[in-house]
Amino acid sequence: MSDGGANPTADEIDELARRAQDGDRAALEDLLAAVRPRALNVCRGVFPYSPDAEDACQEALISVANKIGSWNGRGRFTTWLHVVALNAARSAYRRMKKQAVAAEVEQLDRPDPRTTSVIAGTRLDMLEAIEALERDHPQYVEPLVLRQYAELTYDEIAEQLGLPVGTVKAQVHHGRRLARPLLRGDE
C-alpha cells in the first residue's frame, strides 16, 4: 500500500479484497487489519459499552474472513464490510438480549454490565427499527446504515452506492422518518 498501510484508500482495500478472494492469505491478513477500524466504528455506533463493540467487531472480522468470496466486487468492499459489521452487531445484540432476559429471570443482585449495555443503550433500539425497515423498505437501509453507523458523509455514501447525492439524502431522510416511530423515545 502506498502509505505503509496506515490509511489505505478504498481502491487499495478493494485490491486487497480481490487478492484475498483469490486465496492470498497475506492479503487477507492485511485486509482484516486495514478494515478493522471501520468495522469497529460501525460496532461502536451500536454498542455504548466498548467491550461489546469489540466483541461484535471481532465477529464481523471472522465473518469477513469466512465469507470473503460472497463480496461480488461490483461495489466497494467497504460498503459490503459495513453491512457485515452491522449484521455482526445485530447477532451480538440478539445474543446479549437473550442473556439480559435470562438475567432478569434469575433476579441477579448485581447487574452484568454487558446485559446492562443492551438494556440501557437506546441506540440498540435502532437495530430493531432497521430490521423492521428492511422488511418493508429495504432500499433505505443501506444509506441509513452508512450514515448512522459508519458516519459516512452523503458524498461518500453516494460514491459508494453509485447514486446521486440528492437521492442518498432523500433515502436517509425517509429511512429515518420511517424508523423514528419504531424507536422508543430515540431522536
Side-chain angles (χ1 to χ4, degrees):
M1 281 183 260
S2 61
D3 61 2
N7 287 311
T9 65
D11 287 338
E12 289 170 330
I13 289 172
D14 288 352
E15 179 56 31
L16 280 173
R18 284 185 200 93
R19 289 179 25 221
Q21 280 184 317
D22 291 338
D24 183 335
R25 297 296 296 168
L28 179 61
E29 288 178 26
D30 289 346
L31 175 67
L32 294 175
V35 300
R36 186 182 188 288
R38 291 172 186 258
L40 185 56
N41 191 39
V42 170
C43 295
R44 281 184 177 146
V46 174
F47 290 106
Y49 185 63
S50 283
D52 294 339
E54 292 281 348
D55 289 348
C57 177
Q58 187 63 29
E59 188 175 317
L61 295 176
I62 290 168
S63 290
V64 167
N66 291 333
K67 299 177 182 178
I68 187 78
S70 66
W71 174 57
N72 63 22
R74 285 192 301 256
R76 287 287 185 194
F77 180 82
T78 51
T79 301
W80 181 79
L81 169 75
H82 290 134
V83 173
V84 170
L86 184 61
N87 286 340
R90 283 182 185 157
S91 294
Y93 167 66
R94 285 186 198 109
R95 208 171 32 256
M96 291 167 58
K97 191 173 179 180
K98 287 178 186 174
Q99 290 172 355
V101 169
E104 286 177 11
V105 169
E106 292 177 14
Q107 298 287 324
L108 296 177
D109 292 334
R110 279 189 331 167
D112 178 352
R114 293 177 57 84
T115 57
T116 302
S117 171
V118 173
I119 296 164
T122 57
R123 288 176 285 182
L124 298 177
D125 293 343
M126 190 67 173
L127 286 175
E128 291 174 356
I130 285 175
E131 286 180 349
L133 194 60
E134 254 181 341
R135 284 190 304 272
D136 301 327
H137 304 281
Q139 71 275 21
Y140 300 141
V141 173
E142 192 168 18
L144 181 60
V145 166
L146 292 173
R147 181 74 179 141
Q148 192 76 24
Y149 294 110
E151 298 177 357
L152 298 182
T153 66
Y154 290 111
D155 290 335
E156 291 169 328
I157 296 167
E159 180 184 331
Q160 287 201 12
L161 299 180
L163 296 171
V165 174
T167 300
V168 169
K169 286 181 179 180
Q171 288 179 337
V172 170
H173 169 77
H174 292 304
R176 284 179 175 158
R177 182 179 51 78
L178 291 167
R180 194 168 288 123
L182 304 171
L183 300 174
R184 295 186 296 260
D186 196 27
E187 292 189 22

